[in-house]
Amino acid sequence: MNAAILVQAAGEFTRTSGGEAATFWVLAPVAVLAALGMVLARSAVHGALLLVVNLFCLAVFYLLQDAPFLGFVQIIVYTGAIMVLFLFVLMLVGVDSADSLVETLRGQRMAAIVLGAGFAGLLVFPIGGVISGTKAAGLAAANNGGNIQAIARLLFTDYVFAFEIVSALLIIAAVGAMILAHRERAGGKITQKEMLRRRFAAGGPVTPVPGPGVYARPQAADVTPALPPASDDPGHPGDSGDSAGGDADSPHPVGAGKGAAR
Amino acid sequence: MNPANYLILSALLFTIGAVGVLLRRNAIVVFMCVELMLNAANLTLVTFSRINGTLDGQIIAFFVMVVAAAEVVIGLAVILTIFRTRRSASVDDVNLLKY
C-alpha cells in the first residue's frame, strides 16, 4: 500500500520535468563520485559501501524513468542481497587483506587510465552527439494499467522461455555455489572423546570459567559461592583465605565434580 | 528532460567500472567493478525502454539483474575457494598457468 503511494508520488514528481531534471543533476554527480570512490578506495569495505550509494542512485533513476518495478527490485536485490553477500565474503576473506599497490605489469596503470579516458570520449561524444536530439516516446501508454502488470504480461507471454531458462540458471547457480563452498574434512571428524582428551592435555581450567562477577571457581550447584572478599588476590577473589565455602575447601577436586561433566 | 543525459551518465559509469577492473588487484573489488558495469548497462536499457515507449528494455534489464545475482553467487564462491588454497584474494597470486 505504501509502495503504491510511493510509486504514485514518484510518477507525479516525474511528470513535472523540472523535478526530474533537479533530481538527475543532484544524483548524477553523487553516482559518479561514488563510483570513482569505489575504484579509488584503498579498503574494500569502503568500496562496497560506496557501491551501495551508487546502486541506490541508479534505483532512483529507474523510478524517475517510469520503471518503478525495476527501481524497487534494484534496492531489494542489489543493495539488499548482493551487497550483503559481498560484505559477508569480505569479512570471511579478512578486511585487512588490503590491496597491494605494486604494479606487476609496468605501465599498466597509466595505460588503463588512458584507455579508459579514450573509451569514455568515444562513448560520450560521437554517440552522445547522435542521440542528443532524441525525444522520449514515454512509457505512459505501455504502463497503462500499471507497470508491474505490464511487465508481468510481457514476462509470461513473449519472454516465457527466457524466464524458464533463467529459473534453471538460478538452480544451477545455487547447486554450484554449494559444491564450490563445500570442503572435505581433512582427517575425519573430531569425536567428543578426542575433544575431552585435548582439553585435559592442555592443562589449565577444564571446566568453563565462571562469568565475571561470579565469585566461585566450580560451577556446581552444591558449592556455595564466596562473598566478594576484601581480597589480597584480585585475580581470583574466591580463593582468598578463609572464604566461606569457596573452592579452597571444596569437596570437588577440579575435573572430578559435576562441573567437569560439562 | 532529454533522456540522452542518462545515456551519457551510464557511459561514464561503465567506463569507471572498466578502468576499475583494469586497475585493481583485489579480486572482490574487481568483481564489484564488474557489477558497476552491469548496472550501467541496465541504466542504458531502461533509458532506451523509455525512448522507444516499449517495456522490452525493462524486461531485459530484469533478466540482467537475475543473471548478475547468479553470477555473484558463483563468483564469490570461486573467490572463496581460491582464498582457501592461496590465503590471498589478489588476482596476481593466481598465476600458475603463466609459466
Side-chain angles (χ1 to χ4, degrees):
Chain A
M1 195 61 203
N2 279 332
I5 293 169
L6 206 60
V7 169
Q8 202 179 3
E12 290 293 325
F13 191 57
T14 311
R15 270 184 267 294
T16 59
S17 186
E20 185 192 352
T23 316
F24 179 84
W25 289 116
V26 169
L27 283 185
V30 173
V32 171
L33 284 181
L36 276 178
M38 182 196 71
V39 172
L40 298 178
R42 186 75 59 87
S43 138
V45 177
H46 293 173
L49 294 178
L50 285 169
L51 186 58
V52 169
V53 172
N54 185 11
L55 297 181
F56 199 82
C57 291
L58 286 183
V60 175
F61 291 147
Y62 295 165
L63 287 179
L64 281 180
Q65 299 206 32
D66 287 336
F69 176 67
L70 277 187
F72 284 105
V73 166
Q74 169 91 359
I75 292 175
I76 293 168
V77 172
Y78 262 106
T79 61
I82 291 183
M83 292 320 293
V84 168
L85 201 61
F86 266 106
L87 285 175
F88 261 121
V89 172
L90 273 178
M91 297 303 165
L92 272 178
V93 165
V95 186
D96 53 333
S97 67
D99 211 351
S100 73
L101 295 175
V102 185
E103 248 184 347
T104 40
L105 302 171
R106 213 146 55 88
Q108 187 220 10
R109 197 167 298 160
M110 212 51 232
I113 291 171
V114 169
L115 272 179
F119 185 66
L122 203 63
L123 274 182
V124 170
F125 291 111
I127 302 179
V130 169
I131 57 175
S132 64
T134 47
K135 284 276 176 289
L139 286 170
N143 273 344
N144 190 18
N147 175 255
I148 296 173
Q149 283 87 344
I151 281 185
R153 202 171 295 124
L154 264 182
L155 197 60
F156 292 114
T157 54
D158 290 359
Y159 291 92
V160 69
F161 283 113
F163 185 76
E164 296 292 336
I165 291 169
V166 157
S167 72
L169 177 81
L170 279 180
I171 291 178
I172 293 169
V175 173
M178 274 191 268
I179 290 172
L180 279 174
H182 180 71
R183 179 163 42 173
E184 292 294 332
R185 209 181 259 117
K189 196 179 179 198
I190 305 169
T191 60
Q192 198 169 11
K193 198 173 170 185
E194 180 61 29
M195 280 169 74
L196 264 184
R197 194 164 285 146
R198 271 189 209 170
R199 194 192 296 174
F200 277 90
V206 286
T207 59
V209 182
V214 177
Y215 290 93
R217 270 274 180 80
Q219 293 214 25
D222 57 342
V223 180
T224 49
L227 287 171
S231 173
D232 51 343
D233 180 10
H236 304 285
D239 283 353
S240 58
D242 53 352
S243 62
D247 61 348
D249 51 351
S250 164
H252 301 288
V254 172
K258 284 174 189 165
R262 288 161 185 264
Chain B
M1 200 182 85
N2 193 344
N5 289 337
Y6 290 105
L7 297 177
I8 290 170
L9 171 69
S10 87
L12 282 180
L13 291 182
F14 189 91
T15 310
I16 293 171
V19 170
V21 169
L22 291 175
L23 283 182
R24 299 301 299 260
R25 303 261 68 87
N26 188 337
I28 298 175
V29 178
V30 169
F31 212 53
M32 290 197 289
C33 292
V34 173
E35 289 302 309
L36 182 63
M37 291 163 74
L38 280 171
N39 273 285
N42 265 354
L43 183 61
T44 315
L45 286 170
V46 172
T47 309
F48 278 140
S49 162
R50 183 187 179 202
I51 290 175
N52 288 325
T54 58
L55 283 176
D56 297 272
Q58 292 189 16
I59 300 265
I60 303 294
F62 176 68
F63 280 130
V64 170
M65 278 186 193
V66 177
V67 174
E71 173 230 338
V72 164
V73 169
I74 295 294
L76 289 178
V78 169
I79 289 175
L80 265 189
T81 313
I82 291 172
F83 180 77
R84 273 188 199 144
T85 53
R86 304 257 151 172
R87 310 311 295 171
S88 154
S90 171
V91 288
D92 282 335
D93 293 337
V94 194
N95 55 3
L96 210 60
L97 286 176
K98 191 172 158 190
Y99 304 108

